[in-house]
Amino acid sequence: MRNSLLRLWTSLSTPGLLVGILFFAASLTPSLIPRPYPMQGVLSGCSLAAGYGLGVFGRWLWFYLELPGVMPDVERGVKAAALLVAGATAIAFLWQASRWQNSVRSLMGLEPVQTAEPVELAIIAFFVFLLFVALARLFAMTFAFLSRKLERVTPKPVARVLGILLAFALFWSIADGVLFKAALRLADSSFRELDALIDSDLAPPADPSKTGSTASLIPWGDLGFRGREFVASGPTGEKIGTFLRQPALEPIRVYVGLNAAKTAKERAALALAELKRVGAFERSILIVVVPTGTGWVDPAAMDTVEYLHRGDVASVALQYSYLTSWLSLLVEPSYGAEAGEALFRQVYDHWTTLPKDKRPKLYLHGLSLGALNSERSADLFDVIGDPFQGALWSGPPFESAGWRSVTAGRDPGSPAWLPRFRDSSVIRFTAQKNALDISGAQWGPMRIVYLQYASDPVTFFDFHALYREPDWMKQPRGLDVSPDLTWYPVVTMLQLALDMAMATTSPMGYGHVYAPEHYVDAWMAVTDPQGLAPGDVDRLKAMVSKRD
């Protein structure tokens, strides 16, 4: 065992280890989401492997360019000193790891950790690093084998180019065709079974005006798990009236599950027919909702707007996937946009046929992947003649084209995590602290609000963090972002990628978990509810915050 470890150690590249250890150390610094030590170990192992690969490539490039080398005796001394300094840096960073994690945890109101478990962390990182080294060496062996075979029929330079291309194609086909698709089938099967699950606590509604009732066009079983949850939950008209001390209506919620019809257009047509059946177009407010990848509609968003408008609200959602948002975004990005557009087009086309003084105000809403697909669903050039009234998009993913364009075109001096766009008459941004009341700004006929937290990696992940510092990291930073967060090439992007996978593990009101009291301010700005008594908004915030 000792001899095997010694052979492994001597076979490793010194420049690779030097850069890798520095990357390992940098990975211990904080990012947006608190990390338990097992996840930190995986991240640190990936960072060590990335740095090692860059170091090996740098050494190869040095010799390929035939740059002068160093005398062997001097080289050994330099290597030893460099590794000593890198190792000492890593140990010092390990010593600080718990403090750095607590700098994030304290901002989110979490209990501090006493230790980052440095030994366990380092062991996990070491084995992750070994896995990547083994894969790299297997790739090199495959490349060498294919190149030797090809040299029999082609010149050596051509054989090497073809060898590396074939090796890459082989590895990619195995990863994508076997591992990834097998994992995807497993995930799809699991989420499909969850969607088919009928909770015994959720009985089909007896009220014929409810979706899923015996009178409904959509059977209870075709709503899916998330649909049944959406329709059966939420405040009743009686509960809303009691809270506001004034008459209130029973909110209307329509949902069409993935199994209700074969195509998105057919499901959208079914949704419109159900909206007509239950009288949704006779309400004051109609909200077209695009759910997350699994079909989930955030109750924090819908409950609050129903209270603000005394139940005089109808909402409709259309399921387009069983998978979580990040998987849906990865494997079927256009499908969610297709479903969102189909639903919006059906509702909007009917809405525009109604008398303007008798139809409801029309709004769009989505969270996470739902925000991205909701944003894609309506082309402003198509509706400019008869526009809808506004939209509330929360936690917009970094891939949201409209959000990216507005953020990039923000007014100079406004931070990337809370931009101000032009005269703020159409688009405004807000976070935990209400930033929607802008002095001197007047809303126009369409109101769009982005609710986003500076600590949300789904919104602020950036591939460019590979080689440059993202704008949102510059001062002034969001109040929920650690002052110890530091940009490092490559490493920061890896940190944000892990943060994105863990985005919903944060407490309510941070990361990608949006608090209902923050939705209250956003819906107030977007829908401008009337008839509320003084103090009702503050009481509503206090009430919904207790359910966090």
Side-chain angles (χ1 to χ4, degrees):
M1 180 66 175
R2 182 181 301 176
N3 291 336
S4 299
L5 290 175
L6 183 61
R7 284 196 301 272
L8 173 64
W9 174 256
T10 55
S11 69
L12 294 175
S13 164
T14 301
L17 284 174
L18 175 61
V19 180
I21 292 172
L22 292 177
F23 274 34
F24 168 87
S27 73
L28 299 168
T29 59
S31 51
L32 294 178
I33 302 295
R35 296 187 292 266
Y37 81 86
M39 300 306 296
Q40 178 64 64
V42 172
L43 170 64
S44 296
C46 292
S47 300
L48 176 58
Y52 181 83
L54 285 176
V56 170
F57 174 77
R59 182 179 183 278
W60 171 85
L61 185 62
W62 183 279
F63 285 109
Y64 180 80
L65 296 175
E66 298 182 353
L67 296 174
V70 183
M71 296 293 293
D73 292 340
V74 176
E75 184 180 11
R76 281 193 292 271
V78 170
K79 287 180 178 179
L83 286 174
L84 184 63
V85 171
T89 302
I91 292 172
F93 275 48
L94 274 170
W95 184 264
Q96 295 290 324
S98 60
R99 182 182 69 81
W100 283 327
Q101 287 303 305
N102 286 335
S103 74
V104 183
R105 298 178 68 85
S106 63
L107 291 173
M108 296 185 176
L110 297 172
E111 291 292 325
V113 294
Q114 300 303 315
T115 176
E117 305 293 350
V119 175
E120 291 86 347
L121 187 159
I123 291 173
I124 293 171
F126 177 69
F127 280 104
V128 171
F129 169 69
L130 287 184
L131 175 62
F132 279 102
V133 169
L135 288 173
R137 292 186 174 181
L138 179 61
F139 181 87
M141 292 169 59
T142 304
F143 159 66
F145 173 80
L146 293 172
S147 296
R148 286 195 301 270
K149 295 295 184 183
L150 289 168
E151 284 175 13
R152 299 175 182 177
V153 293
T154 61
K156 188 173 183 179
V158 176
R160 289 193 170 187
V161 172
L162 291 175
I164 198 166
L165 291 176
L166 288 173
F168 180 81
L170 177 62
F171 272 64
W172 177 258
S173 63
I174 293 174
D176 180 59
V178 179
L179 301 179
F180 177 74
K181 288 186 177 177
L184 187 60
R185 283 194 296 270
L186 177 62
D188 183 65
S189 175
S190 299
F191 285 116
R192 189 184 297 270
E193 289 178 8
L194 175 63
D195 188 73
L197 180 66
I198 297 181
D199 192 335
S200 58
D201 294 334
L202 298 179
D207 185 348
S209 66
K210 295 281 189 179
T211 298
S213 66
T214 54
S216 173
L217 301 176
I218 309 161
W220 183 245
D222 286 349
L223 296 183
F225 177 76
R226 293 302 187 185
R228 290 186 288 271
E229 183 181 58
F230 173 64
V231 169
S233 64
T236 62
E238 181 182 3
K239 189 174 182 180
I240 295 171
T242 300
F243 178 81
L244 295 176
R245 305 185 187 99
Q246 56 179 301
L249 297 176
E250 187 78 12
I252 293 174
R253 293 186 174 189
V254 171
Y255 192 99
V256 181
L258 198 55
N259 289 326
K262 290 184 178 181
T263 68
K265 288 185 178 180
E266 290 174 345
R267 292 195 297 277
L270 187 58
L272 176 62
E274 182 73 359
L275 286 171
K276 293 177 180 178
R277 186 189 73 83
V278 297
F281 290 95
E282 299 168 14
R283 293 300 174 96
S284 297
I285 300 290
L286 174 57
I287 304 174
V288 179
V289 182
V290 180
T292 64
T294 60
W296 182 65
V297 178
D298 189 357
M302 303 316 300
D303 293 0
T304 49
V305 72
E306 289 167 350
Y307 271 102
L308 289 172
H309 289 274
R310 302 181 301 283
D312 194 10
V313 177
S315 55
V316 57
L318 190 74
Q319 188 180 17
Y320 53 89
S321 170
Y322 296 117
L323 301 175
T324 56
S325 288
W326 68 273
L327 273 175
S328 294
L329 185 62
L330 185 64
V331 301
E332 48 189 26
S334 62
Y335 194 47
E338 178 191 358
E341 183 179 359
L343 179 60
F344 173 77
R345 182 50 58 187
Q346 286 280 347
V347 174
Y348 178 79
D349 286 350
H350 177 72
W351 179 76
T352 54
T353 66
L354 303 175
K356 291 186 178 182
D357 60 341
K358 294 183 179 180
R359 69 189 185 187
K361 291 182 178 180
L362 182 61
Y363 297 95
L364 310 184
H365 171 64
L367 163 68
S368 190
L369 184 60
L372 182 148
N373 288 322
S374 179
E375 184 185 88
R376 290 173 172 174
S377 69
D379 188 328
L380 293 183
F381 290 106
D382 292 337
V383 303
I384 197 168
D386 193 0
F388 56 90
Q389 277 62 56
L392 171 55
W393 292 317
S394 46
F398 65 96
E399 289 284 4
S400 303
W403 171 86
R404 284 205 316 266
S405 176
V406 171
T407 301
R410 68 188 181 278
D411 293 348
S414 64
W417 53 272
L418 194 64
R420 287 195 179 182
F421 185 68
R422 298 181 183 175
D423 63 357
S424 300
S425 63
V426 179
I427 299 174
R428 299 184 191 181
F429 292 77
T430 192
Q432 290 95 335
K433 184 178 179 181
N434 185 14
L436 297 168
D437 296 327
I438 300 174
S439 177
Q442 297 292 325
W443 280 110
M446 179 183 289
R447 304 182 179 196
I448 296 174
V449 167
Y450 286 100
L451 172 60
Q452 59 189 40
Y453 298 151
S455 57
D456 187 350
V458 173
T459 298
F460 292 108
F461 176 82
D462 189 352
F463 284 112
H464 297 110
L466 180 76
Y467 57 88
R468 74 181 184 202
E469 181 183 27
D471 287 345
W472 59 264
M473 288 183 64
K474 298 173 182 176
Q475 299 296 334
R477 288 182 176 174
L479 298 178
D480 48 336
V481 175
S482 170
D484 293 324
L485 192 157
T486 305
W487 176 77
Y488 297 99
V490 181
V491 174
T492 296
M493 191 196 75
L494 294 176
Q495 288 178 319
L496 294 176
L498 179 61
D499 284 346
M500 189 162 54
M502 299 177 59
T504 57
T505 64
S506 62
M508 181 75 75
Y510 301 93
H512 200 55
V513 184
Y514 286 83
E517 60 268 30
H518 303 148
Y519 274 111
V520 173
D521 290 326
W523 281 123
M524 287 285 293
V526 172
T527 63
D528 191 25
Q530 303 295 314
L532 295 172
D536 279 350
V537 173
D538 289 336
R539 288 197 307 115
L540 178 59
K541 287 183 181 180
M543 186 265 286
V544 296
S545 67
K546 293 177 182 177
R547 296 167 15 186
D548 291 2

